[in-house]
Amino acid sequence: MSKDNSIGIIGSGSWATALAKILTDNGQHIHWWIRNEDTIRHMQLRHHNKHYLTSVYFDTSLLSLSNSIQAVAEACDKLVLAVPSAFLLDVLQQLPPGALAHKKIVSAIKGLVPGENILINEYLEQHFQLPAAQYFTITGPCHAEEVANEKLSYLTLSGTHLEGAQAIADMFTGSYLQTIVNTDMIGVQLAAVLKNIYALGAGIAHGLEYGDNFLSVYITNCFREMQTFLEQYESQKAERLGTEPMVHNYSASAYLGDLLVTCYSLHSRNRTFGNMIGKGYSVKAAQLELNMIAEGYYACRSIFEMNKTIGAYMPIAQAVYTILWQQVHPAEAFMALEKGFI
């Protein structure tokens, strides 16, 4: 196979496994970085990931598995990043600075770079000199579990140019997976970060035994808060660069749709994590029980730090942050929110 047509996946969690299923179901050969050698051996022998989406079986002739991220990067023209944001730096630091030159990078990470509180594309530009034109994002609304069951799902592919985004989208489009393309690369990334925070809050509300009526008002106000943050972010960015602010289509699936499914779905790990917090679990106990990364936990701290500069009015995101990182009692934080909703 020509390297120009090859694609690699970095990560072996549920989302990475779902993306691998989509690509191989479309007949695409993939190079797949899996950190654990035992997982690789199991997949070669049993044809499935024994830790995530165990019902998904692969045609292993379409898989080149490796625990060397550098080998996978060297073999591919396109790389999909599908590790939790909390582990991203540890993974990328295994690559030399020139490893991503001339490659297309597709981020399926719904988080910010930990500690630096910047978007993935900003980090790659700073540390790997990756031009914006070589960077693409995959966002939802889409849960890995429904992909595993081949329930009709939608992915949003974003890049600086529609043609490039469409070429990536075509690789993922299939019988149970439709794709939407746009050039709103920054907005959809931030929306994906924020919706995980709001889903945590939705779970907390459920754990506190708020009902559906409250939740509908809560999500409406989350949506408004998301818009406020993005508009102020874009305004400040445009002022720095001397350009016009990007106009976002907030009614698009990557905004409203992804927010809704992440707040309502029982597949949402952020909602599940929040539900445990609302029921009285400590953060540590909820993490151990979930046994997966809830991106919103790290995201709420990153957004809190980012917003010190942006200055958007974000009472909901701040409430989630104070519950998870400052040990404010969930009932106390939500009682403070109740009367401010419109």
Side-chain angles (χ1 to χ4, degrees):
M1 175 176 290
S2 168
K3 181 177 175 180
D4 291 342
N5 294 320
S6 61
I7 188 164
I9 295 180
I10 307 300
S12 59
S14 58
W15 191 220
T17 304
L19 294 173
K21 170 181 168 56
I22 294 166
L23 290 168
T24 54
D25 282 354
N26 289 344
Q28 177 72 47
H29 184 276
I30 60 172
H31 296 262
W32 194 353
W33 177 78
I34 297 174
R35 180 179 58 84
N36 190 295
E37 183 66 36
D38 181 60
T39 301
I40 291 176
R41 287 195 296 268
H42 183 92
M43 193 170 291
Q44 290 169 333
L45 181 65
R46 301 293 186 184
H47 300 204
H48 73 110
N49 186 337
K50 66 177 181 177
H51 299 294
Y52 301 98
L53 303 187
T54 55
S55 65
V56 173
Y57 282 77
F58 291 93
D59 177 354
T60 52
S61 69
L62 295 174
L63 305 179
S64 294
L65 306 174
S66 175
N67 63 354
S68 168
I69 186 173
Q70 190 163 347
V72 170
E74 288 174 354
C76 297
D77 174 61
K78 305 171 190 69
L79 272 181
V80 178
L81 302 179
V83 295
S85 62
F87 305 144
L88 178 63
L89 294 185
D90 290 340
V91 170
L92 291 181
Q93 284 167 2
Q94 299 176 46
L95 292 173
L100 304 183
H102 312 301
K103 297 185 187 299
K104 294 180 175 66
I105 304 302
V106 184
S107 174
I109 300 171
K110 298 170 183 178
L112 298 167
V113 178
E116 302 196 28
N117 306 323
I118 57 176
L119 293 167
I120 311 299
N121 61 291
E122 294 173 326
Y123 180 85
L124 295 177
E125 182 180 356
Q126 292 174 14
H127 295 272
F128 291 91
Q129 292 73 55
L130 186 81
Q134 291 173 219
Y135 180 84
F136 304 87
T137 66
I138 293 177
T139 54
C142 190
H143 282 303
E145 293 81 2
E146 292 203 350
V147 170
N149 292 324
E150 299 187 3
K151 300 285 188 182
L152 182 61
S153 302
Y154 290 77
L155 289 177
T156 300
L157 274 293
S158 305
T160 56
H161 297 92
L162 280 178
E163 296 82 0
Q166 186 65 62
I168 301 293
D170 289 344
M171 301 179 73
F172 289 88
T173 305
S175 60
Y176 58 87
L177 201 294
Q178 296 298 309
T179 53
I180 302 163
V181 298
N182 64 38
T183 57
D184 190 10
M185 188 176 72
I186 303 302
V188 297
Q189 287 184 92
L190 288 170
V193 173
L194 289 165
K195 59 96 178 180
N196 282 333
I197 299 171
Y198 298 137
L200 273 172
I204 291 170
H206 186 268
L208 290 171
E209 298 187 352
Y210 285 91
D212 290 344
N213 293 337
F214 174 85
L215 193 60
S216 68
V217 175
Y218 167 84
I219 295 172
T220 300
N221 282 267
C222 288
F223 190 49
R224 182 180 295 106
E225 187 173 292
M226 177 189 290
Q227 293 182 44
T228 298
F229 180 84
L230 287 167
E231 286 166 2
Q232 290 194 215
Y233 178 93
E234 286 291 353
S235 177
Q236 290 184 14
K237 179 184 174 185
E239 187 174 345
R240 288 196 311 270
L241 300 176
T243 59
E244 289 296 316
M246 176 79 178
V247 177
H248 306 291
N249 178 12
Y250 294 115
S251 61
S253 297
Y255 287 95
L256 181 56
D258 210 0
L259 174 65
L260 290 171
V261 75
T262 312
C263 286
Y264 278 118
S265 176
L266 296 179
H267 293 309
S268 168
R269 66 187 67 175
N270 287 284
R271 183 186 187 277
T272 301
F273 185 88
N275 185 53
M276 288 189 281
I277 297 297
K279 288 183 179 297
Y281 283 64
S282 68
V283 167
K284 185 65 175 176
Q287 289 173 326
L288 290 172
E289 180 78 16
L290 186 64
N291 198 31
M292 291 188 290
I293 295 293
E295 287 280 17
Y297 172 67
Y298 300 97
C300 67
R301 183 171 64 173
S302 293
I303 290 294
F304 178 81
E305 294 297 328
M306 282 181 69
N307 200 41
K308 289 179 180 179
T309 300
I310 295 166
Y313 180 59
M314 302 185 73
I316 303 172
Q318 183 166 334
V320 174
Y321 169 77
T322 61
I323 292 168
L324 297 179
W325 292 93
Q326 296 182 338
Q327 292 75 54
V328 171
H329 194 280
E332 178 185 335
F334 268 75
M335 192 173 297
L337 287 175
E338 288 176 11
K339 297 189 186 307
F341 288 163
I342 57 174

